Amino acid sequence: MPLDRLKRREFITLLGGSAAWPLAARAQQMPVIGFLLGQSRDTLTVTAFQQGLNETGYIEGQNVAIEYRFADGQNDRLPALAADLVNRQVAVLFAGTNAAALAAKGATSTIPVVFAIGADPVKFGLVASLNRPGGNATGVTFFATQMESKRLGLLHELVPGATVVVALVNPSQPAAGAQTDEVTEAARVLGLELHVVHAGSERDLETVFATCAQLGAGALLVASDPFFYSRSEKLVALAARHMIPAIYEWRQFVELGGLASYGTSLADGFRQGGIYTGRILKGAKTTELPTVQTTRFEFVINLKTAKVLGIDVPPTLSARADEVIE
């Protein structure tokens, strides 16, 4: 091969390598976020988290990467998933459910943890206090698991003739004990006969509704839980098949045909979690970011479902609803 052609080829190869090197370096410098969720992948929560990130200037695939891990409602998988993300040396570990937050906190004391959970993070030991988190974790609480008494009260107003009520609780939910105590006390005050039944897997759900029929239950409260949320379509379909009025945590259940829901905005909580994650990537410390308390609550009623169930919703109750689906 002529010497001038060989030199030209070596020059082009060297030029190409030098041009590629900054690209590789930039890819290595791109921060990686660990995203841990106790439930299955959900478009609403993932999109809301990404939106919060975008508001702080981070766009997935452009200047930040995200490693997703989903436990599909099997909370016993979360510690291993959290450990895997820690081993990958993510810059921030985001946890989107109660059990996921506990797993993330247990997996690392150095990597910043941002949570979006439905329980009290102080009682869970995630933070020292809401205003002064004090450790490597902070985030958002939307008090989902602390609204069971309010949900039961609204269910009683919707179906005042239902004196026997079933509360569905996931025993693997870290807040299950507190949920059970709260709804039991609320039932006592309202003079209702309450039966708490458990479900933590797909096969348990059919049994729950068979139990409702055996007990002669006139209404059902589905407690706050990521597994129940991930099975919202099935739960709503089973309630419709068995013709049992039910109240849920999130509006998504009602949009699918559920009777009613009461809770905070799930999307808003995950969006705020994305914002906090972005702020930490920019240099903020978890100790500098107070835990945010969501204060926006939504009461939604599906009047079409009420009509099918033969429920005459009082106008005063409809007027109190944030949204009525007709």
Side-chain angles (χ1 to χ4, degrees), residues 268-281:
D268 187 60
F270 274 73
R271 172 183 157 273
Q272 183 61 52
I275 291 173
Y276 261 25
T277 300
R279 290 180 63 181
I280 289 172
L281 289 177

Side-chain angles (χ1 to χ4, degrees), residues 297-318:
F297 293 89
E298 301 175 321
F299 175 36
V300 185
I301 303 174
N302 190 319
L303 289 184
K304 293 188 293 185
T305 301
K307 184 177 180 180
V308 170
L309 293 170
I311 296 173
D312 186 14
V313 179
T316 53
L317 193 59
S318 295

Side-chain angles (χ1 to χ4, degrees), residues 25-106:
R26 283 198 295 272
Q28 291 175 354
Q29 292 170 359
M30 184 183 294
V32 179
I33 298 166
F35 185 101
L36 183 64
L37 204 61
Q39 63 206 43
S40 306
R41 186 182 183 98
D42 171 58
T43 301
L44 184 147
T45 53
V46 170
T47 301
F49 176 79
Q50 292 170 339
Q51 179 186 345
L53 272 180
N54 295 350
E55 291 178 30
T56 61
Y58 288 98
I59 300 174
E60 183 179 8
Q62 293 188 19
N63 57 356
V64 70
I66 305 178
E67 287 275 351
Y68 295 97
R69 299 291 184 274
F70 304 97
D72 298 324
Q74 300 175 47
N75 288 338
D76 57 342
R77 295 178 53 201
L78 286 166
L81 294 174
D84 177 48
L85 290 171
V86 169
N87 289 337
R88 291 175 182 270
Q89 299 183 336
V90 295
V92 184
L93 181 50
F94 173 81
T97 55
N98 295 340
L102 290 173
K105 181 72 172 175

Side-chain angles (χ1 to χ4, degrees), residues 250-267:
W250 309 116
R251 64 179 297 123
Q252 287 73 23
F253 286 87
V254 186
E255 292 171 351
L256 289 168
L259 175 62
S261 67
Y262 181 80
T264 52
S265 171
L266 189 62

Side-chain angles (χ1 to χ4, degrees), residues 172-192:
S172 70
Q173 160 69 256
Q179 289 175 308
T180 299
D181 292 344
E182 181 184 342
V183 75
T184 299
E185 174 60 18
R188 186 193 66 78
V189 172
L190 293 170
L192 300 174

